[in-house]
């Protein structure tokens, strides 16, 4: 990463860190002060999805505003974001399901989740090769031995730092009343499933990591216009300036053809004009989850109790707004990191964020 790119990326890194820390602190305050509220998980998730849609939608006019123009209008366009949402859900669901199987502990999950940087780099190289093979003009990513080694050390450091010494305590530890900690271990594993070993849980964790590696790379393709199914922008009327630009570009192409030179960067940028902005990608993806969750709360008759509780508890509302704004800001900054610096840098920043949060 050059000094110029670092200067444009650093503000988004700091914004991502600060927003996620605020989000985690607000979540902790909610869990402590309102732990008896029966619809806590639903209300928090509703605000998280809601701000991931409303925040980029409100910021779009200030940065050029292509959100509504790039919203999917056909089933084929919508299917792209349904698949992306399914991959995001698969990353979380598989990791959670793996804990039900014998032999998979929280430590195992932390190690796998902290190691997703290397699969992200490998998946990015594979997707770039597939995009180039399909005829897309892209800048291929290449990683050397030192970069993979650095990523490995970062993953190991994050996994080791996030682990607690209590996770490695022996089974013969004796509590103050003389009972052994083995009873707690038996209580923890009572709900786990034994289907011939822990390989099923490990396989689910591996699938979760692959999904985690796919998500930022697919998001980058959508923002750079190298993915199929991107909704086309609304057509605009030709202007005098656009005609002049086309004439200048044609003259440039003629000159380069005569001089047998390489194609200009402007031509490469023109091939990516179908890409989405980070705001449009957030709205297109999270609007699906927000709509489904909102309909679910209405059908399960939990929407009105949540609204009633919020209206009578201002502190509860403030914490929910902090949670939603924090996550929405963090996701927006994360999308910009993917667009500007690539998935590997964004995932590395997210891995370091876990260390800061701990």
């Amino acid at each position: 990463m050059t000094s110029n790119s670092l200067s444009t990326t650093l503000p988004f890194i700091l914004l991502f860190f600060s927003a996620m820390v605020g989000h985690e602190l607000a979540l902790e305050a909610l869990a402590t002060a309102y732990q008896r509220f029966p619809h806590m998980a639903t209300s928090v998730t509703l605000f998280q999805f809601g701000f991931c849609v409303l925040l980029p939608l409100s910021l779009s006019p200030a940065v050029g505003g292509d959100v509504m123009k790039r919203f999917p209008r056909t089933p084929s366009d919508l299917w792209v974001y349904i698949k992306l949402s399914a991959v995001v859900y698969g990353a979380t669901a598989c990791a959670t399901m793996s804990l039900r199987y014998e032999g998979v502990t929280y430590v195992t999950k932390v190690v796998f989740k902290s190691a997703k940087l290397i699969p992200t780099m490998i998946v990015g190289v594979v997707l770039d090769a597939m995009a180039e093979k399909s005829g897309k003009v892209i800048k291929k990513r290449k990683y050397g031995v030192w970069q993979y080694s650095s990523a490995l050390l970062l993953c190991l450091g994050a996994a080791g730092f996030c682990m607690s010494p209590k996770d490695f305590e022996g089974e013969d530890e004796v509590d103050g009343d003389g009972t052994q900690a083995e009873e707690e271990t038996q209580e923890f594993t009572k709900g786990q499933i034994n289907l011939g070993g822990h390989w099923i849980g490990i396989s689910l964790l591996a699938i979760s990591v692959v999904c985690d590696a796919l998500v930022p790379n697919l998001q980058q393709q959508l923002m750079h216009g190298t993915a199929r199914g991107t909704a086309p922008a609304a057509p605009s009327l030709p202007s005098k300036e656009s005609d002049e630009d086309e004439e200048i570009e044609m003259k440039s192409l003629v000159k380069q053809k005569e001089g047998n030179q390489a194609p200009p960067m402007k031509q490469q940028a023109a091939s990516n004009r179908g890409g989405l902005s980070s705001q449009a990608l957030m709205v297109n993806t999270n609007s699906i989850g927000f709509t489904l969750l909102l309909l679910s709360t209405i059908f399960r008759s939990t929407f009105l109790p949540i609204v009633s509780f919020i209206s009578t508890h201002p502190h509860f509302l403030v914490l929910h707004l902090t949670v939603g704004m924090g996550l929405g800001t963090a996701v927006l900054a994360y999308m910009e990191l993917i667009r500007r610096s690539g998935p590997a840098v964004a995932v590395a920043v997210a891995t370091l964020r876990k260390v800061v949060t701990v």
Side-chain angles (χ1 to χ4, degrees), residues 4-167:
N4 187 24
S5 61
L6 180 61
S7 62
T8 59
T9 304
L10 185 60
F12 294 102
I13 296 177
L14 297 177
L15 182 61
F16 174 76
F17 268 73
S18 57
M20 283 303 300
V21 170
H23 170 260
E24 297 289 346
L25 292 176
L27 272 180
E28 184 69 22
L30 272 173
T32 303
Y34 300 98
Q35 56 182 344
R36 294 186 178 181
F37 181 62
H39 309 299
M40 174 70 73
T42 303
S43 63
V44 168
T45 309
L46 195 62
F47 270 78
Q48 288 174 331
F49 269 109
F51 270 86
C52 285
V53 174
L54 297 177
L55 181 62
L57 195 60
S58 61
L59 292 177
S60 179
V63 293
D66 69 336
V67 170
M68 298 310 299
K69 295 178 182 179
R70 308 309 299 273
F71 196 78
R73 293 174 173 81
T74 64
S76 60
D77 293 333
L78 185 62
W79 179 241
V80 174
Y81 303 101
I82 293 177
K83 291 188 293 185
L84 180 59
S85 300
V87 175
V88 174
Y89 176 79
T92 304
C94 289
T96 303
M97 290 170 57
S98 66
L99 295 175
R100 300 176 56 202
Y101 291 88
E102 184 178 2
V104 178
T105 63
Y106 177 76
V107 176
T108 312
K109 179 182 174 182
V110 168
V111 171
F112 269 79
K113 283 292 188 179
S114 299
K116 65 182 180 181
L117 175 57
I118 296 178
T120 300
M121 298 165 67
I122 297 174
V123 169
V125 173
V126 172
L127 291 181
D128 282 351
M130 293 174 62
E132 187 180 43
K133 189 176 181 180
S134 65
K136 297 286 185 179
V137 181
I138 61 171
K139 182 180 180 181
K140 293 183 65 176
R141 287 165 285 184
K142 295 181 179 180
Y143 303 106
V145 177
W146 288 108
Q147 290 169 308
Y148 280 112
S149 301
S150 301
L152 178 61
L153 293 176
L154 176 62
C155 294
L156 292 176
F161 189 85
C162 292
M163 292 177 187
S164 171
K166 295 181 180 180
D167 296 327

Side-chain angles (χ1 to χ4, degrees), residues 7 90 102 109 225 248 260 276 280 282 304 335 345 348:
S7 62
E102 184 178 2
K109 179 182 174 182
I248 294 174
N260 195 21
L276 299 171
M282 280 185 66
L304 291 180
M335 291 293 102
V345 174

Side-chain angles (χ1 to χ4, degrees), residues 333-345:
Y334 187 75
M335 291 293 102
E336 281 296 320
L337 286 175
I338 293 175
R339 187 179 69 85
R340 293 168 181 265
S341 302
V345 174

Side-chain angles (χ1 to χ4, degrees), residues 152-214:
L152 178 61
L153 293 176
L154 176 62
C155 294
L156 292 176
F161 189 85
C162 292
M163 292 177 187
S164 171
K166 295 181 180 180
D167 296 327
F168 299 96
E169 290 178 353
E171 295 182 356
D172 295 332
E173 181 183 354
V174 180
D175 295 336
D177 57 355
T179 60
Q180 292 185 342
E182 185 178 356
E183 296 179 0
E184 296 181 1
T185 305
Q186 292 176 355
E187 185 68 23
F188 173 76
T189 58
K190 186 182 297 181
Q192 292 187 328
I193 302 173
N194 186 1
L195 294 179
H198 66 283
W199 63 271
I200 297 180
I202 297 298
S203 300
L204 288 172
L205 279 177
I207 294 173
S208 173
V209 171
V210 172
C211 290
D212 280 329
L214 277 171

